[in-house]
Amino acid sequence: MRNATNLSLDGRVALVTGATRGIGAAISDRLAANGACVIGTATRAEGAEAIGARLADAAAPGAGYQLDVADPASVEALFKQIKSDIGLPSIVVNNAAVTHDDLAMRMSEEDWSSVIEANLSGVYRVSKAALRGLMKAENGRIVNISSVVGQTGNAGQINYSAAKAGLLGLTRSLAREVGSRAVTVNAVAPGFIDTDMTQALDAATRERMLDQIPLDRLGAADEVADAVSFLASPAAGYITGETLSVNGGLDMGG
């Protein structure tokens, strides 16, 4: 019979991009609680310091580092630094993302390009930089954080939706490339999650969101973290190229 050790991440080094708050913070905290040494990244130095302090407060191994996933030089510098400081990760969670919402007719070239660069090209850069270490590790893992809007689309978010949809194709293609080296590549697609962003919405908007969700509530960041932790664990060793939707039934098998 399987037991909790199949979810243990003892001895693993996990890189989580965009780990300052919300879903990224919940993921890094859950992986640390399951035994991983967590490398959490933030775009600003103060964010990286906050990640390190949060891990230290939990007596969890790991540290915060500064990273701009849209900058190839920043990605290269991060991997050089963590190789020296901690060791290359055997788990990579690509969570860092930005939004610049607008209707297509009003969207600027800069807003389109910046979202694609961070949310899609950034995942390519980080994953590529991590691959050599992942292939050398036993049972390497990549988990990409997509979104329900990458599956359904969303008015006013053509840039974000396109990037998150592209991430699903990247996930499946990369899974085919590295499967023979015991590296799995999967995605998690959250729906409407209770974070700072959704808490700032007015009551009417929140009510419209809830009307679309069969479970009649927003998801919790910890529930997304549970899905990521499972896919990063030995228990998910025969799952690759898949997308796990965490959306309360918002998109039934879409």
Side-chain angles (χ1 to χ4, degrees):
M1 179 179 293
R2 288 178 177 264
N3 55 46
T5 60
N6 290 91
L7 300 176
S8 172
L9 301 176
D10 289 347
R12 308 296 292 276
V13 175
L15 170 64
V16 182
T17 66
T20 309
R21 63 182 186 276
I23 290 173
I27 291 170
S28 61
D29 291 352
R30 180 57 49 80
L31 298 184
N34 285 3
C37 175
V38 173
I39 300 164
T41 77
T43 54
R44 299 174 183 270
E46 55 267 33
E49 292 171 3
I51 293 167
R54 194 178 71 240
L55 291 168
D57 288 344
Y65 288 82
Q66 192 171 358
L67 172 67
D68 178 1
V69 297
D71 179 1
S74 179
V75 174
E76 182 180 358
L78 172 75
F79 276 85
K80 286 183 178 178
Q81 187 174 3
I82 62 178
K83 182 179 181 180
S84 173
D85 293 351
I86 297 175
L88 291 175
S90 58
I91 298 168
V92 174
V93 181
N94 288 300
N95 173 71
V98 299
T99 57
H100 293 293
D101 297 347
D102 210 341
L103 294 175
M105 291 182 64
R106 295 199 295 260
M107 183 170 290
S108 68
E109 286 282 340
E110 181 180 359
D111 284 350
W112 168 267
S113 298
S114 63
V115 169
I116 297 297
E117 274 298 300
N119 299 3
L120 184 57
S121 298
V123 173
Y124 150 74
R125 293 186 188 100
V126 172
S127 299
K128 181 179 180 180
L131 280 178
R132 196 171 299 277
L134 290 170
M135 289 178 174
K136 289 181 179 178
E138 183 179 352
N139 300 322
R141 301 280 191 266
I142 296 177
V143 183
N144 298 321
I145 307 303
S146 182
S147 169
V148 66
V149 304
Q151 299 166 309
T152 65
N154 194 37
Q157 286 192 310
I158 64 165
N159 49 3
Y160 187 80
S161 298
K164 293 300 188 179
L167 197 52
L168 301 181
L170 182 155
T171 296
R172 290 189 289 268
S173 297
L174 188 56
R176 290 183 180 275
E177 290 187 13
V178 299
S180 64
R181 302 299 295 272
V183 178
T184 67
V185 187
N186 292 290
V188 172
F192 297 143
I193 305 300
D194 192 8
T195 62
D196 293 346
M197 184 172 65
T198 53
Q199 289 169 10
L201 297 173
D202 61 78
T205 300
R206 286 174 64 89
E207 190 61 33
R208 286 196 296 272
M209 291 167 60
L210 290 173
D211 285 344
Q212 303 176 59
I213 304 171
L215 288 185
D216 198 31
R217 66 173 177 86
L218 299 182
D222 282 344
E223 292 175 306
V224 180
D226 286 339
V228 173
S229 182
F230 165 68
L231 290 173
S233 75
Y238 201 56
I239 300 172
T240 196
E242 294 297 325
T243 298
L244 179 53
S245 295
V246 183
N247 61 28
L250 177 63
D251 174 37
M252 293 284 192

